Amino acid sequence: MKIAIGCDHGGIVLKDAVTSTLEALGAEVVDLGTNSTDSVDYPTYGLKVAETVASGQCDAGVIMCGTGIGISISANKVPGIRCAVVTNTYMAQLTKNHNNANIISLGGRVITPDEAKDIVTAWYTAEYEGGRHQRRLDMITDIEKKYSK
Ligand code: RB5
């Protein structure tokens, strides 16, 4: 699996833990920045990761900002992206099982690097269950289509 990662200055504290965890799980990590603690705008990085996943250049993504919220809102504007803010392993597993989340979003001011490792592992190793959940994902796609120009 090829996984795109991106963060702002508020999320960068989690980046090393996320990268090493994904690599230990066998993923190829594509780092789209940022690469310092200088203040940057989270939509830039949410968009980069979302476009890389939506275009098929990467299979999935992990994004990080201070709370995980702003960068997830940005990523979810890209058609085809199902990005979930995740704060524990239960949410991480369920968002793959039920939502087939192709990006998860983490908060560097909300969780620790050790918690990020467990969350990324739970999401990466979980399976999408399909079935009744696919009908609901199709409904989400219909909403995207309704509002796309
Ligand atoms: C940046 O200070 C902060 O607003 C950002 O990282 C994120 O928490 C936004 O949702």
Side-chain angles (χ1 to χ4, degrees):
M1 287 266 280
K2 210 167 166 182
I3 308 291
I5 65 166
C7 64
D8 75 353
H9 54 288
I12 198 166
V13 66
L14 301 177
K15 191 157 89 166
D16 286 350
V18 167
T19 301
S20 61
T21 301
L22 287 168
E23 288 177 345
L25 289 163
E28 178 187 344
V29 175
V30 177
D31 182 356
L32 300 176
T34 189
N35 296 305
S36 84
T37 53
D38 294 347
S39 182
V40 291
D41 299 323
Y42 58 78
T44 304
Y45 299 93
L47 177 62
K48 278 188 189 195
V49 171
E51 287 184 332
T52 301
V53 173
S55 67
Q57 294 171 72
C58 282
D59 301 297
V62 178
I63 53 179
M64 299 148 272
C65 68
T67 58
I69 296 171
I71 200 165
S72 73
I73 292 171
S74 311
N76 274 317
K77 297 296 180 189
V78 176
I81 294 305
R82 292 177 305 279
C83 175
V85 180
V86 172
T87 58
N88 59 51
T89 55
Y90 181 72
M91 294 169 75
Q93 182 194 323
L94 265 288
T95 201
K96 178 69 79 64
N97 293 160
H98 292 186
N99 315 125
N100 201 15
N102 50 13
I103 301 180
I104 56 168
S105 188
L106 310 176
R109 298 171 186 157
V110 178
I111 61 169
T112 66
D114 279 345
E115 288 170 329
K117 289 181 185 179
D118 291 342
I119 286 168
V120 166
T121 301
W123 166 73
Y124 188 90
T125 57
E127 300 281 344
Y128 175 50
E129 291 175 1
R132 70 186 187 282
H133 303 295
Q134 188 56 47
R135 182 178 72 250
R136 295 158 186 165
L137 298 194
D138 292 342
M139 291 171 73
I140 294 171
T141 303
D142 287 345
I143 296 170
E144 280 181 349
K145 286 181 186 157
K146 181 175 177 184
Y147 287 96
S148 63
K149 290 175 188 162

